[in-house]
Amino acid sequence: MIDSNGEITADRDLPADHAFACDDCGRRWYYDRRRCPECGRSAADAPTVRLETGAVVATTTVETTPPDVRAPNHLALVRFDEVQLIAQAADADLSPGDRVRFDGSHRLRDECERTDPRLVAVEES
């Protein structure tokens, strides 16, 4: 959605480690939508589910960030079954194929009250 200031906003504020799930068909998706992308049911009341472990598809490090965002900012494209998203990584040690999960409580911006987990490697046992 776009607000009156031209800023992109979400209808619902989703924690970084959750995805929406359709009650009818079970499809999961990350970004807020008006309808389920699979069956078309209204997504207004879709519950959320926690994303457990995923696989890194690609990584990058952003060196030049806005003034209030940490630099370097490590990012990873991750697939959690049918849900694929870009999220902050705790460090630069992730590589494609690594198994990851969300952990911790971090602020993206210095002035922001909201905290979210970052991606960390899953320890193989």
Side-chain angles (χ1 to χ4, degrees):
M1 307 310 273
I2 299 178
D3 68 14
S4 61
N5 296 323
E7 299 289 322
I8 297 174
T9 61
D11 287 342
R12 293 185 283 169
D13 201 14
L14 185 68
D17 60 347
H18 282 68
F20 295 104
C22 181
D23 280 334
D24 284 353
C25 70
R27 173 75 185 262
R28 294 178 179 190
W29 64 92
Y30 189 70
Y31 300 102
D32 201 7
R33 298 174 183 236
R34 293 187 187 275
R35 302 206 168 277
C36 171
E38 186 70 26
C39 70
R41 178 185 177 174
S42 173
D45 297 323
T48 63
V49 293
R50 188 165 189 275
L51 299 170
E52 298 296 331
T53 59
V56 174
V57 176
T59 63
T60 192
T61 298
V62 179
E63 300 289 344
T64 305
T65 62
D68 59 344
V69 176
R70 72 184 170 114
N73 189 11
H74 307 294
L75 303 173
L77 174 62
V78 180
R79 179 174 290 281
F80 294 88
D81 297 320
E82 64 191 316
V83 175
Q84 190 164 290
L85 58 96
I86 296 173
Q88 282 190 311
D91 56 48
D93 292 338
L94 298 179
S95 298
D98 287 349
R99 300 292 300 164
V100 293
R101 64 181 172 81
F102 283 101
D103 190 46
S105 181
H106 307 275
R107 283 194 178 103
L108 172 63
R109 292 178 153 58
D110 292 336
E111 302 300 320
C112 183
E113 291 296 318
R114 177 181 167 157
T115 61
D116 280 305
R118 291 189 182 145
L119 295 168
V120 296
V122 172
E123 299 299 321
E124 301 295 329
S125 51

